[in-house]
């Protein structure tokens, strides 16, 4: 077996082992260093002798300092590394880096559903919003009946989505922070994949009343279906009322057709989950390349996950297009530092046992691999959690969200995402009902075992079968196909995770 080492930068003093199954002690590595112990796949090996207290570098940055002398050829695992403190949010370089010139990329289109407000859907879905969790059981039954009894008569409608959540009552609805879950729900109801057809199911006595959830003018004609209304006598009457209302919306949705629209109509959210040390070497750089292509084509691309970009803050503020954007990045990450501190933790609470088994020693290393998804464009906008992108906010956007897969996905839906890219190294069957999720594997082994769950294999980069540029172009083309209606594996299996709201406010 030819040993494969992946070194990110020339001045890195560690590299990761690319070979499936890892490499045994005694292996002579490219460059002449001999392994002193077995090193698992995706884990780091020291390329030179590293003295105690000396920086260990990957991605050209210090991911930790050596707790003891590390001789060349050793397995550099988390126990050998002292994590550096987080960079202070003062004295950062603000909009100092001039992003490389990005020539516009013209001529790329997809087949999408144009909405009345000018936005474009990649799917034509009936979504039923809810004010409160109390109605979820009734909605489940209704959605099942709509799917079986009504949808066959409306073949141009791609599906029906019950927007269930745990918010709406039993919460301190006027507390600071409560505006985040409320505006998240409001903006999800207006996601471009729902064709502007807002349908709302309410209980009646809940704190989050329909008028508080939706802006004036978007409450559906005839109002919300309210289960406590006198007209409802018994369960069947409730279900009948929901089905009758759904038919009005289905008729209008069914009349819509896909049309050719420019790639600039894409609002793409990028995210990773179940990451390993390959994430930052294969899938995330491929996503970063595709991000640059999308930005050049005029699309909006959101990257998120506060705790996974916190250690790259200097890189982000310097890449901001203007000092105002840089200040907004500092504001969002500063707010999040305070939020974490209130819970007695910091960014290091992010890493999982799976991340560490996958070779990621700490959050610094994870963050450096995660932020690569943002490509190289200047950051043009910052979006606070739950807010919606305006039509003219295109280019690279930092949408500040927690890194939790479901919360990040939920907030990106609120931002107006019509296509989602998700990279994984450990493997997750993640999906969303409201938006196609294109999943990219970081390793060929995962892509092989999960052949009917992963939409693309970026592990070919580590195998030497494809360059980052080629994988980036493949992903870009795949995204246009999926936006045009090609179904992802998650859609084919109907895999969808719950909407999970970010609620920093108290419950009662
Ligand atoms: Ca995530």
């Amino acid at each position: 077996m030819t040993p494969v080492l992946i070194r990110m930068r020339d001045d890195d003093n560690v590299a990761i082992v690319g070979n499936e199954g890892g490499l045994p002690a005694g292996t002579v590595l490219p460059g002449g260093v001999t392994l002193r112990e077995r090193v698992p796949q995706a884990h780091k090996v020291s390329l030179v002798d590293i003295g105690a207290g000396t920086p260990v570098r990957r991605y050209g940055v210090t991911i930790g300092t050596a707790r003891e002398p590390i001789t060349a050829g050793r397995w550099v695992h988390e126990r050998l590394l002292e994590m550096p403190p987080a960079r202070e949010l003062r004295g950062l370089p603000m909009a100092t880096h001039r992003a490389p010139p990005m020539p516009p990329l013209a001529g790329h289109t997809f087949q999408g559903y144009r909405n009345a407000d000018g936005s474009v859907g990649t799917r034509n879905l009936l979504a039923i919003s809810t004010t409160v969790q109390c109605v979820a059981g009734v909605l489940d039954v209704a959605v099942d009946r709509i799917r079986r009894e009504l949808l066959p008569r409306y073949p141009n409608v791609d599906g029906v989505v019950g927007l269930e959540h745990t918010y709406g009552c039993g919460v301190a609805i006027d507390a600071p922070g409560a505006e985040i879950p409320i505006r998240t729900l409001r903006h999800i109801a207006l996601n471009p994949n729902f064709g502007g057809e807002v349908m709302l199911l309410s209980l009646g006595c809940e704190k989050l009343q329909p008028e508080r959830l939706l802006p004036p003018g978007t409450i559906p004609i005839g109002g919300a279906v309210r289960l406590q209304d006198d007209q409802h006598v018994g369960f069947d009457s409730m279900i009948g009322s929901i089905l009758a209302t759904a038919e009005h919306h289905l008729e209008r949705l069914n009349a819509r057709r896909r049309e050719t629209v420019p790639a600039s109509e894409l609002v793409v959210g990028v995210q990773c989950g179940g990451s390993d040390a390959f994430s930052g070497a294969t899938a995330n750089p491929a996503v970063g390349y595709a991000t640059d292509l999308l930005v050049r084509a005029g699309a909006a691309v959101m990257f998120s996950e506060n705790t996974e970009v916190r250690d790259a803050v200097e890189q982000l503020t310097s890449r901001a297009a203007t000092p105002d954007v840089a200040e907004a990045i500092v504001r969002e990450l500063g707010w999040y530092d305070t939020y974490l501190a209130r819970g007695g933790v910091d960014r290091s609470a992010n890493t999982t046992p799976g991340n560490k088994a996958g070779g990621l020693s700490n959050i610094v290393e994870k963050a450096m691999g995660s932020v690569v998804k943002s490509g190289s464009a200047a950051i043009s906008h910052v979006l606070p959690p739950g807010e919606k992108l305006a039509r003219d906010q295109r280019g690279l956007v930092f949408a500040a969200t927690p890194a939790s897969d479901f919360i990040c996905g939920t907030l990106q839906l609120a931002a107006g995402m019509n296509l989602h890219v998700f990279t994984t190294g450990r493997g997750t069957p993640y999906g969303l009902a409201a938006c196609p999720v294109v999943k990219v594997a970081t390793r060929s082994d995962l892509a092989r075992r999960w052949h009917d769950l992963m939409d693309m294999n970026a592990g070919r980069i580590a195998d030497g079968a494809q360059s980052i540029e080629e994988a980036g172009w493949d992903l870009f083309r795949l995204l246009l196909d999926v936006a045009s209606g090609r179904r992802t594996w998650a859609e084919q299996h109907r895999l969808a995770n719950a909407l999970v709201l970010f609620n920093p406010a108290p419950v009662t």
Side-chain angles (χ1 to χ4, degrees), residues 271-273 305 308 403-405 408 422:
Q271 208 203 148
C272 52
E305 306 176 288
E308 292 175 16
S404 153
D405 297 351
C408 173
F422 193 101

Side-chain angles (χ1 to χ4, degrees), residues 8 21 33 86 107-108 157 181 217 229 286 320 330 338 377 422 454 465-466 474 495:
M8 300 308 292
V33 171
H108 293 275
V157 179
D229 280 358
V330 171
T338 310
F422 193 101
M454 294 292 137
Q466 202 174 32
D474 277 0
L495 304 179

Side-chain angles (χ1 to χ4, degrees), residues 96-102 318-320 376-379:
T96 49
H97 175 75
R98 200 160 285 280
M102 287 217 175
S318 64
R319 272 172 70 195
S376 61
I379 300 166

